[in-house]
């Protein structure tokens, strides 16, 4: 088991996306806890374990690349806001990472998509 | 203009939700920069300015309460994962806050909703 307690979480999650973009699955796997849990609450999809998570990424059927737009990190967790470049237009993803002992232990993905808003009571709401 | 440079961002955004739940709009407004920008990228809705942001909250047409599930904060930004309790089922919201000088300067809201997943190439993906 790889363990790197000195790596901070910001660096860990930025490496996660950089190695995913590079399709370097051997190095990518070294960032992950063996019992990593991946969840997509919107679809109730789940992947359990490092090998499954790598396979989920490595078998993506179409070309893709991730641009990290923003990263917020504290001592236990990080949020990345990404643009997933594959289909057009790119998809916006929000990913919450949990880490422990320098390894990613949990990944929770959100994929918010465009929708038409309902009427608002406040006259201050504009469209852009 | 209120300014409180010593308040950290975690405390600032937790106060934001606590005062919103309390409908204490006078104290709520003291957390906000005069030129605060609020955006919902999914609907391309925007509110510009402290007064407009308070009005947007204060005029919400139905009862609601926010439970903060998770907060990730660093020196410039914070993410809150909330359950917006109003309709059933509760809505999951992800809100990115930017702050400067102890005041919230930008709020970006995401409301990911449930969807049916497309088939996956990896056999490791389960439903829960």
């Amino acid at each position: 088991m790889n363990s790197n307690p000195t790596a901070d979480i910001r660096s860990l999650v930025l490496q996660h996306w950089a190695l995913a973009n590079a399709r370097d699955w051997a190095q990518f796997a070294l960032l992950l806890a063996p019992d990593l849990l991946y969840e997509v609450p919107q679809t109730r999809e789940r992947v359990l374990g490092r090998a499954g998570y790598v396979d989920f990424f490595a078998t993506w059927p179409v070309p893709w690349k991730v641009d990290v737009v923003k990263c917020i990190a504290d001592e236990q967790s990080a949020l990345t806001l990404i643009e997933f470049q594959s289909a057009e237009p790119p998809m916006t993803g929000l990913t919450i990472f949990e880490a422990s002992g320098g390894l990613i232990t949990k990944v929770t993905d959100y994929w918010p998509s465009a929708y038409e808003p309902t009427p608002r009571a406040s006259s201050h709401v504009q469209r852009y």
Side-chain angles (χ1 to χ4, degrees), chain A residues 43-123:
Chain A
T43 57
R44 297 187 298 113
E45 289 173 296
R46 169 180 288 166
V47 174
L48 183 60
R50 176 164 55 195
Y53 187 68
V54 174
D55 187 66
F56 172 65
F57 270 77
T59 59
W60 202 266
V62 288
W64 58 272
K65 186 173 95 65
V66 164
D67 292 331
V68 178
V69 177
K70 188 168 182 66
C71 178
I72 304 173
D74 61 22
E75 289 73 30
Q76 289 88 37
S77 312
L79 175 277
T80 57
L81 175 66
I82 62 169
E83 295 290 328
F84 186 81
Q85 311 279 353
S86 175
E88 279 296 328
M91 288 171 68
T92 297
L94 292 106
T95 309
I96 294 176
F97 293 89
E98 316 279 339
S100 176
L103 297 175
I104 297 168
T105 56
K106 189 170 180 198
V107 181
T108 311
D109 250 354
Y110 296 92
W111 298 100
S113 55
Y115 65 92
E116 278 304 303
T118 51
R120 300 295 197 175
S122 173
S123 63

